[in-house]
Each structure stands twice: as C-alpha cells, then as structure tokens.
Amino acid sequence: MAETHSLQDMRQQAAITAKVFIQRDYSSGTMCQFQTKFPSELENRIDKQQFEETVRALNNMYAEAEKLGSQSYIEGCLACLTAYTVFLCMETHYEKVLKKIAKYIQEQNDKIYAPRGLLLTDPIERGLRVVEITIFEDRSLTR
Amino acid sequence: MHLGVSESMRECEYSQISTRSSTPMETPYKKRTPKKRKWEIFPGRNKFYCDGRIMMAKQTGVFYLTLILILVTCGLFFTFDCPFLAQQLTPVIPVIGGVLFLFVLGTLLRTSFSDPGVLPRASPDEAADLERQIDVANGGTGYRPPPRTKEVVINGQTVKLKYCFTCKIFRPPRASHCSLCDNCVERFDHHCPWVGNCVGRRNYRFFYMFILSLSFLTIFIFAFVITHIILSSHQNGFLSALKNSPARYPFTVPLVVCFFSVWSIVGLSGFHTYLISSNQTTNEDIKGSWSSKRGKDNYNPYSYGNIFTNCCAALCGPLPPSLIDRRGFVEADVPQLAPPTNGITIYGSTQSQQSHTCDQDQCIQSTKFVLQAAATPLLQHQSSEPVILTTSPENGGTLPGRASLALTGPCTSLPLGQPTPPTSTSSLSCHEAADNNPLQESLFQHHFLTPEEVPSPPGMLHCGSPMGHSHTTQAGFYDPASQDSLHEDSVRGLVKLSSV
C-alpha cells in the first residue's frame, strides 16, 4: 500500500498521542489573540517559525474581525437603523472573517500540518478559548 | 479505505472524517437515529425555543410582565389618545409613537432572545490539560488548592483571571459566571429579569437601545397623555375629562405606568450611558474595580480614552458570533473503536476479533480505563482523552441539576461500539451490529455527563452516582500491561469523536 500523508488517511490510520492547547493571550485586552509561545510537545514535529507564523496569521485575522474601523461603524449604524433586521440577509463582518479563518486553517492543515502528523482545530469549535493541536502517532517509522 | 491485514476481515462501513468539515454539522455520514441539536444538551440553565433559535433565562415571568406593561400602555395610548391628538394636533404624533413602539419591541425581543455571549464549557481534554498545568504550578500536591487565579497585565493594569469550577476554564477578562443561568458570559454586565436574560457582550447594545428607546417612549406617552388631558379639559373642564368613562382608564393607566417608568427607566438609561462612555460594565462599576478609590494608579485598561470612541465601540462595534452553536448537531453515530485485546490499533474502526463480549459491563470497563487514563498525567505515548460517563435513561432523575456537555461527540458510541454478540462473525461492523442490537437505540438517549472530578488528580477521581452501575475508578486499579492497548484504543476512539 502506497504511503500517503493525506489527512484522511492519517485520521483513519493514525493514533492520537497527545493534544496540545494554545491558550488565549489576554495581554492586549479582551481581543481574541492566541499565545505564540512554542509548545514543547511540538518540538520534533514542526518548525518553531512555521508554528509562530500560523498563530500570528490567526491573530491578525481575529484582530481584523474585531477591528473598530469605518466599515464596522457603518455596519453597526445601518444595523441599528434597520432595527437589526439587516442581519437576516447579510452576514456580519465578523462572520465573513471567521469563514476566512476556517479556510486558512484548512489550508494550513492540508499543506503543512497533516504531512507532519498534526491537526489544527478551528478555535471557533472550542468557543475561541484554545487552538487545539492534535498530535498523531508518527507512522512513518512503523510502516 | 483499507488499512491493512485486519481490514480484509472487516467489511465495515465507517464514517470518514472529512477534513473539509469545519463544523460538526457537516460530517458526511448517514443518519441512523434522529440527531440531537446542541441546545438540547446544553449544560446551562437556559430555555430554548424555536428549535434553538431563541435563548432565554430560566425565569421568564418578569419578562412577560414587561411585555404586558408595554403592550397595554401603548395599546391604550394608540386606541384612545392618538385619534384625539391626531385630530387636534397632527397625525405625525401616532406615527412617531408607532415607530418608537416598534423599535422598543424589536430591541426588547432582540435582547431577550439572543445569546448574551455565553462561553461554552471546556471540553474534557482542555479541562484535563488545564488541571495538569495547575497541578504542575502548584507543585503537584494532589489536592485541590484554593481558588485558582492567573494574573495578566492588560495595558499596564494587572488583572486577575479567575478559574471557573463549573465551566472549567479561566474566565477571560470581564467575563463572569451568572449563577442564575449557570453560564460564564463574556463582558458580563448583569442578569436582567425584566428582559429575562443576561446582558453581556453580544446583547448589550440591544439592551441599551431598548432602555433608551423605552425612555423616549415613556416620556412621549406621558407628555401626550397630559396634553390630551389638558386639551380635553379646555374643552370640557378638567374633572369631566377625567370622569369620562371610556377615557378614564386610557388616561390613568398610561399616566401611572409612565410616571413610575420615567424615573426608573430614564435613570437607568442615564446610568448605562455613563457606563458606555467610560467603557465599564455594571459588574465592574458595582465592585468599583476601576475606581480611583482603590488606588492612585487604578484605571480602566479597556477604555479607549475618549467618550466618543467608547460609545462607538460599545454600540457600533463588530458583533461577535455566538460561540455555543445552539443549532448544530451533536455527533451521535460516529463508529466506535472497540477496545481490541490483540493490540492492533486501528483508528476509527471496529476490531472484529474480539475475545470479549460486548455487553454493557464491558463498555463500562473500557470507560473506566479511559477515566483512569484521564486521571494520570499525560505520558508521552498516552492520549489525553475526553472522559465521558453515560447514564441510562432511568437514572436521569438522579443526575445532578446540570448535565454538562462532555464533548460534542457521542460518548454513547463507546459503549455502543462493541455491540457484537459473542458469536459474531468477523465481518460485522459496528454499524451493522448497531442495527442488530436494539439496546443501541435506547443507549443513544443517554445524556452526556461531565464527571466533575475526572480531570483532577487521581486521588480525587471517582464516578458519581449517575453511573448506572456502581463502579468506581481508582487510579492504579488496572493492570497497565495488559490493558494498555485496550484502553488506548478506547481512548482513541473517544478522542476521535471530539476531534471531528
């Protein structure tokens, strides 16, 4: 059987050895940011740089979602004037960014994390509390 | 998907975990049983209506009173006062009144029915991880230390983050646990019985708009009812205007209601305007968290510095989405990993060569191993597993008031994963077996219970009474050597559920 590193294969074959949780970083207030500290469990799995880049990109996207700019003000005022019924037809800016984040995580998983036996879980599925990284058993040695 | 030698014996149809599914809702497998929505197993004390679209607190009596007061007062105003005023003064008055009334109603319903910013409870994995970290920080003493706090510096101000024992998380800054709703709420302002809900990050602006527009409405009605009386009395004399039967109540009821409301509602609006402009919550203001009386250097780290920005941020800032995903489906039928004794660890599949019988006791057995595994610190090759206890339906009454959601996955799948009867052929899959075994269906009705003490150190570990079978787990209870693979696989299967 050909060795594959696709995520589907991995999830069906590999065993979970551990889960790492990247906690929230509250040093800049209540904004959604995650700690960029590199967890020791990932040391032999992935580059520190790569990991930090991923987390920083996520942080930037969340910052964009919660940014107080003219766009959010216009959206807020429009919503207020229409008694918030406008959200029945339109997506909020935050929701749009969340979709972007989901796509980004998917992409990161496919390209970078799955080949290394890791899996990122979208923080929204954990209530924006943590970034859950599942570490799978390294099968490349046992094959 | 074929996974190797053992696969040839297995014709199982198991669900593929799609990497594309970013939400648990999208898992592509056939439904075998009616899926439950997450609101049905929500651990907080909230009431849900319209299949999870509407969320309110448990006690809603006062909310109905609010609604009745508003409707009756406005109803009387529109029916009796407006025709007169429209005639005598201008028809614009009823129009403005109507607009105000609709705005008040809209914002009230929006405040009452929306999720105030409830933080979902931690999954068992997370809780276990946090507990471990806290233990390490406390020197691993093995007993529950005093209330846990974490300090963080925000904009130069030291803020203490408290650990919530119910939700098993460190509360973000400004979050608080509402004891009435039994939830942690982000940017918790207060629990308002008048709107029948908590007021938090997601509905604060609606609440403010509600009390603001209600102030205008009460002043409006008050003013125009008095105008009506004055104009009437010019025509007919003051006393006769009041005594005029059909008009008596339309005068007095709106007048009395509005008189009392004006003082309270306008006062409240003023108070909240002050809070918004200084970017504080009612909670913080009452506690005096940022008051200069506490210390010279005490200031509000969340304030943007000027009133205008604070107001804009509170009222026109981006609206965060609900974190609790009320209408999502609970994963109920992911095929479960049977704990095989032969050591073949296949993720997500049923091991068909089982030397054990797959009855409920066996399943409890594997659950026990899981609990123990969760209790022991994470070793390098062990998984951190979600710990789940299942209860049989008849024990529902003995459950503690809150049945916490252990994970989004179907924990019943673990016990249900090995439904194969002792004499089953190797070709049976868990799905097929699920069809054969009628016990499955009843077990699917289980509630998921977070064992409150499970993630804590081994010394504290015990199963609560909800377990239909009175077994207890103690650390070190099992023989690691022979049960390692057994528990590893059951654990893996469980973890898989939570990772969908």
Side-chain angles (χ1 to χ4, degrees):
Chain A
M1 178 161 77
E3 252 190 38
T4 56
H5 282 297
S6 81
L7 200 52
Q8 293 242 0
D9 284 351
M10 182 180 75
R11 291 186 83 156
Q12 281 152 10
Q13 300 173 45
I16 293 178
T17 55
K19 282 195 182 189
V20 184
F21 297 98
I22 313 295
Q23 301 285 341
R24 283 271 295 267
D25 173 17
Y26 294 115
S27 55
S28 43
T30 52
M31 226 172 48
C32 183
Q33 300 279 285
F34 291 96
Q35 291 176 358
T36 49
K37 189 170 90 74
F38 188 63
S40 52
E41 292 94 334
L42 298 178
E43 248 156 40
N44 51 356
R45 290 296 191 116
I46 193 168
D47 245 358
K48 185 175 172 193
Q49 289 290 83
Q50 188 64 64
F51 170 81
E52 279 180 13
E53 199 187 294
T54 307
V55 179
R56 273 205 202 101
L58 283 176
N59 283 345
N60 287 337
M61 285 194 264
Y62 282 115
E64 188 198 319
E66 299 184 18
K67 193 174 71 153
L68 297 170
S70 51
Q71 198 203 348
S72 70
Y73 287 154
I74 291 171
E75 199 182 69
C77 290
L78 178 70
C80 182
L81 291 172
T82 60
Y84 300 97
T85 52
V86 73
F87 292 139
L88 295 171
C89 13
M90 193 177 93
E91 235 179 17
T92 65
H93 173 65
Y94 208 113
E95 282 167 358
K96 288 194 193 119
V97 179
L98 283 180
K99 285 208 171 137
K100 212 170 95 173
I101 289 172
K103 232 198 261 169
Y104 174 76
I105 288 180
Q106 179 73 61
E107 197 187 280
Q108 290 283 295
N109 271 336
D110 285 341
K111 285 202 221 144
I112 298 168
Y113 288 85
R116 292 173 170 77
L118 300 170
L119 186 70
L120 290 176
T121 304
D122 195 339
I124 196 74
E125 292 177 34
R126 298 287 177 264
L128 291 183
R129 289 185 307 262
V130 288
V131 177
E132 189 178 299
I133 303 179
T134 316
I135 303 175
F136 290 93
E137 198 182 298
D138 196 350
R139 286 266 162 159
S140 55
L141 301 170
T142 59
R143 288 263 177 104
Chain B
M1 279 294 302
H2 300 291
L3 302 174
V5 175
S6 52
E7 296 323 298
S8 55
M9 293 181 283
R10 185 175 52 88
E11 299 296 325
C12 94
E13 166 207 61
Y14 55 88
S15 77
Q16 299 209 342
I17 306 166
S18 164
T19 56
R20 306 282 157 212
S21 60
S22 56
T23 63
M25 285 181 266
E26 298 166 27
T27 332
Y29 50 80
K30 285 187 284 187
K31 279 192 239 185
R32 302 243 172 198
T33 52
K35 287 169 89 171
K36 278 196 166 180
R37 293 207 189 246
K38 288 185 190 167
W39 66 264
E40 297 180 66
I41 48 176
F42 186 70
R45 254 182 259 143
N46 288 91
K47 279 203 229 164
F48 295 90
Y49 304 103
C50 287
D51 200 21
R53 291 182 179 88
I54 290 175
M55 177 176 176
M56 295 182 77
K58 196 166 172 211
Q59 272 106 19
T60 50
V62 188
F63 164 70
Y64 292 120
L65 175 68
T66 309
L67 214 52
I68 288 169
L69 277 174
I70 293 175
L71 290 173
V72 166
T73 312
C74 293
L76 287 173
F77 176 73
F78 287 122
T79 318
F80 296 103
D81 298 294
C82 279
F84 179 84
L85 291 165
Q87 232 179 12
Q88 296 283 49
L89 294 174
T90 161
V92 175
I93 294 171
V95 171
I96 296 178
V99 168
L100 269 177
F101 169 70
L102 289 173
F103 196 77
V104 163
L105 218 54
T107 47
L108 170 65
L109 295 179
R110 192 77 205 235
T111 311
S112 304
F113 294 165
S114 57
D115 169 15
V118 173
L119 289 168
R121 298 194 183 180
S123 65
D125 287 342
E126 281 176 62
D129 189 63
L130 268 180
E131 290 272 348
R132 231 188 43 250
Q133 285 178 26
I134 292 167
D135 262 349
V136 166
N138 285 331
T141 44
Y143 70 93
R144 189 160 277 174
R148 305 153 177 181
T149 55
K150 210 163 41 168
E151 282 198 358
V152 70
V153 178
I154 300 175
N155 283 341
Q157 192 79 273
T158 310
V159 176
K160 269 210 177 105
L161 302 184
K162 288 200 189 141
Y163 181 77
C164 180
F165 285 99
T166 312
C167 305
K168 302 222 184 327
I169 56 170
F170 274 100
R171 277 184 221 128
R174 313 191 96 178
S176 191
H177 191 93
C178 175
S179 47
L180 289 163
C181 302
D182 203 26
N183 291 318
C184 271
V185 179
E186 270 190 302
R187 202 190 184 280
F188 180 73
D189 196 85
H190 66 286
H191 181 99
C192 186
W194 297 97
V195 302
N197 205 356
C198 287
V199 177
R201 185 177 175 204
R202 293 188 75 245
N203 64 353
Y204 186 59
R205 70 191 67 187
F206 307 128
F207 175 75
Y208 180 73
M209 289 282 122
F210 166 63
I211 55 175
L212 198 64
S213 52
L214 189 62
S215 322
F216 288 134
L217 185 66
T218 49
I219 293 173
F220 184 84
I221 292 180
F222 192 67
F224 282 107
V225 168
I226 292 192
T227 311
H228 188 179
I229 293 176
I230 292 172
L231 290 177
S232 276
S233 63
H234 277 167
Q235 293 169 8
N236 311 324
F238 184 68
L239 285 174
S240 65
L242 279 181
K243 274 197 224 149
N244 195 1
S245 293
R248 193 187 313 155
Y249 294 115
F251 284 141
T252 51
V253 170
L255 216 59
V256 167
V257 170
C258 290
F259 181 76
F260 289 112
S261 307
V262 161
W263 300 114
S264 46
I265 306 276
V266 171
L268 194 63
S269 307
F271 175 61
H272 278 279
T273 309
Y274 157 71
L275 287 181
I276 283 185
S277 58
S278 60
N279 202 333
Q280 284 185 83
T281 62
T282 305
N283 211 18
E284 286 166 355
D285 188 71
I286 286 175
K287 288 189 197 158
S289 306
W290 313 122
S291 134
S292 50
K293 290 185 202 144
R294 281 213 180 186
K296 236 174 19 151
D297 292 328
N298 207 24
Y299 60 90
N300 184 359
Y302 311 108
S303 172
Y304 292 95
N306 70 76
I307 292 175
F308 182 68
T309 318
N310 284 339
C311 290
C312 285
L315 303 175
C316 309
L319 188 66
S322 174
L323 298 174
I324 54 176
D325 189 25
R326 312 186 284 280
R327 286 176 45 80
F329 286 104
V330 178
E331 296 308 302
D333 44 342
V334 175
Q336 229 350 270
L337 186 65
T341 50
N342 54 16
I344 295 177
T345 56
I346 293 168
Y347 185 68
S349 66
T350 305
Q351 191 51 272
S352 41
Q353 315 161 234
Q354 290 153 18
S355 54
H356 59 275
T357 58
C358 299
D359 59 353
Q360 210 163 351
D361 288 327
Q362 192 62 39
C363 306
I364 304 300
Q365 194 81 353
S366 20
T367 314
K368 274 195 248 184
F369 301 143
V370 167
L371 291 171
Q372 285 146 23
T376 55
L378 195 71
L379 304 175
Q380 56 272 36
H381 61 278
Q382 274 190 358
S383 344
S384 58
E385 44 284 331
V387 188
I388 305 124
L389 290 178
T390 59
T391 81
S392 46
E394 56 269 20
N395 273 3
T398 64
L399 283 176
R402 332 154 182 174
S404 320
L405 177 64
L407 30 81
T408 57
C411 60
T412 52
S413 302
L414 174 62
L416 298 175
Q418 27 291 14
T420 42
T423 55
S424 68
T425 63
S426 54
S427 61
L428 268 182
S429 72
C430 57
H431 272 293
E432 293 168 74
D435 290 336
N436 297 340
N437 192 341
L439 186 62
Q440 301 305 310
E441 303 311 311
S442 61
L443 290 175
F444 268 117
Q445 303 309 314
H446 284 194
H447 285 288
F448 306 111
L449 187 78
T450 303
E452 297 281 340
E453 287 75 28
V454 164
S456 56
M460 298 281 288
L461 189 64
H462 67 270
C463 287
S465 55
M467 282 307 289
H469 315 263
S470 56
H471 70 276
T472 53
T473 61
Q474 278 108 40
F477 151 111
Y478 62 99
D479 171 16
S482 65
Q483 304 296 0
D484 221 10
S485 60
L486 194 88
H487 112 263
E488 202 182 281
D489 291 308
S490 59
V491 149
R492 206 169 296 120
L494 286 171
V495 170
K496 179 190 161 190
L497 303 173
S498 65
S499 64
V500 172

